[in-house]
């Protein structure tokens, strides 16, 4: 992935976590403006729920023989 793709992925993850909307990378590149993103968010094509923050895993003890 290039720099723009990585930034797009970060933006999409932020939209998903903060707004609860799903947005595909190709939608962002098709209409790379605030207005274009807003249009897509107002007419979503996916009903995937937003990601939830999970509790951290407890550390495991390591036994050495």
């Amino acid at each position: 992935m290039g720099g723009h793709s990585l930034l797009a992925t970060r933006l999409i993850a932020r939209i998903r976590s903060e707004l609860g909307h799903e947005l595909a990378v190709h939608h962002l590149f098709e209409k790379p403006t605030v207005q274009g993103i807003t249009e897509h968010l107002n007419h979503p094509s996916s009903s995937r729920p937003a990601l939830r923050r999970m509790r951290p895993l407890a550390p495991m003890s390591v036994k050495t023989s």
Side-chain angles (χ1 to χ4, degrees):
M1 290 183 120
H4 293 295
S5 295
L6 295 173
L7 290 173
T9 303
R10 288 180 61 193
L11 175 61
I12 289 168
R14 184 73 181 262
I15 289 170
R16 184 184 302 131
S17 66
E18 296 293 325
L19 303 177
H21 288 279
E22 190 68 25
L23 182 68
V25 174
H26 70 90
H27 290 131
L28 187 58
F29 283 112
E30 287 172 358
K31 294 185 177 182
T33 63
V34 173
Q35 181 179 354
I37 294 169
T38 303
E39 289 172 6
H40 180 73
L41 295 178
N42 287 333
H43 305 294
S45 60
S46 174
S47 61
R48 181 177 167 184
L51 297 177
R52 297 175 298 146
R53 187 174 301 272
M54 298 184 72
R55 293 180 299 137
L57 296 175
M60 296 178 56
S61 61
V62 178
K63 294 182 180 180
T64 58
S65 305

